[in-house]
């Protein structure tokens, strides 16, 4: 499967949609692409649409943690939404759901 990251602005947030696994092979690319666009928006909410991510490993989690730190520095909020059950479970097992807001749909932003 190809790894694709797209960007879109909606009224309340800058939306980053990822298609493909965020794993050791793709986590550096994912982080780099997100950071490239991160500061190019005046939106205070950065929303990661993970609806088409079926797998995330420790490298992918590391990228997300790094993005959480960058968002705090920039005084922005990083939000994850539309997680598949197996991906959401990883965030719950690692307790990362306690430090980042996870919502079900874009309308909740």
């Amino acid at each position: 499967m190809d790894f694709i990251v797209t960007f879109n602005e909606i009224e309340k947030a800058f939306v980053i949609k990822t298609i493909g696994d965020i794993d050791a092979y793709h986590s550096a690319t994912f982080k780099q692409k997100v950071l490239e666009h991160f500061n190019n928006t005046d939106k205070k909410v950065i929303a990661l649409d993970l609806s088409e991510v079926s797998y995330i490993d420790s490298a992918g989690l590391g990228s997300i943690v790094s993005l959480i730190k960058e968002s705090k520095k920039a005084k922005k909020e990083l939000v994850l939404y539309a997680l598949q059950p197996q991906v959401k479970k990883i965030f719950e097992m690692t307790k990362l759901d306690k430090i980042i807001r996870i919502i079900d749909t874009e309308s909740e932003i």
Side-chain angles (χ1 to χ4, degrees):
M1 177 193 283
D2 288 337
F3 184 76
I4 302 167
V5 181
T6 60
F7 305 90
N8 182 37
E9 285 202 17
I10 60 171
E11 183 182 343
K12 295 180 179 178
F14 185 71
V15 178
I16 301 162
K17 181 174 180 75
T18 304
I19 300 170
D21 297 341
I22 305 175
D23 55 16
Y25 298 106
H26 299 113
S27 62
T29 303
F30 166 74
K31 182 179 163 186
Q32 177 190 358
K33 287 183 180 216
V34 171
L35 288 176
E36 282 174 8
H37 291 82
F38 200 79
N39 294 315
N40 294 339
T41 181
D42 58 356
K43 301 287 184 186
K44 291 296 180 191
V45 176
I46 309 295
L48 295 181
D49 175 350
L50 301 181
S51 60
E52 295 193 50
V53 173
S54 60
Y55 176 77
I56 186 167
D57 67 6
S58 59
L61 290 175
S63 291
I64 299 277
V65 169
S66 180
L67 293 172
I68 293 168
K69 290 178 184 177
E70 291 297 322
S71 66
K72 289 185 188 297
K73 279 189 215 172
K75 298 194 179 353
K76 297 181 181 187
E77 180 186 16
L78 189 68
V79 176
L80 307 181
Y81 74 93
L83 279 67
Q84 293 187 23
Q86 65 272 25
V87 173
K88 189 172 186 177
K89 185 173 181 134
I90 290 169
F91 280 90
E92 292 168 348
M93 287 172 33
T94 57
K95 305 278 192 245
L96 286 174
D97 62 324
K98 305 293 184 213
I99 63 168
I100 189 167
R101 186 161 61 117
I102 298 174
I103 56 178
D104 293 325
T105 65
E106 185 177 284
S107 63
E108 296 175 60
I109 296 172

